[in-house]
Amino acid sequence: GRRSFSVAVAAGIAILGWLINGFASLVGAVSWLKYLSLFYYYAGHDPLTQGVDFADVAVLVGVTLLLLVVAVTAASRRDLRG
């Protein structure tokens, strides 16, 4: 039940992913980190001009399904009756 903690964790993960995506192309030693960022799969291959890469879509759908299963499992263990 701590809403502010949940929002802070989600925002922190999003900001960290965005930073990884931005800096991985600039620093060669950490370029492998770009694969940990969802922003890489979202726009890393310029989908507007080159078309959609279905492997990237599969990664995004897979992560979405995994997070959905985790959320449903966690919510089913909570006592929401009040």
Side-chain angles (χ1 to χ4, degrees):
R2 296 179 307 220
R3 182 174 186 242
S4 60
F5 177 73
S6 301
V7 171
V9 168
I13 290 172
I15 291 170
L16 184 63
W18 181 73
L19 287 172
I20 288 172
N21 187 52
F23 287 121
S25 62
L26 299 174
V27 181
V30 294
S31 64
W32 60 273
L33 284 175
K34 68 182 175 188
Y35 300 112
L36 298 177
S37 172
L38 294 178
F39 291 98
Y40 171 78
Y41 298 103
Y42 169 69
H45 301 292
D46 199 16
L48 292 177
T49 58
Q50 297 178 2
V52 176
D53 185 3
F54 290 104
D56 291 347
V57 172
V59 169
L60 292 173
V61 169
V63 169
T64 302
L65 291 176
L66 175 70
L67 292 175
L68 180 66
V69 167
V70 169
V72 168
T73 304
S76 68
R77 293 182 180 174
R78 292 196 53 164
D79 182 18
L80 300 176
R81 286 182 243 151

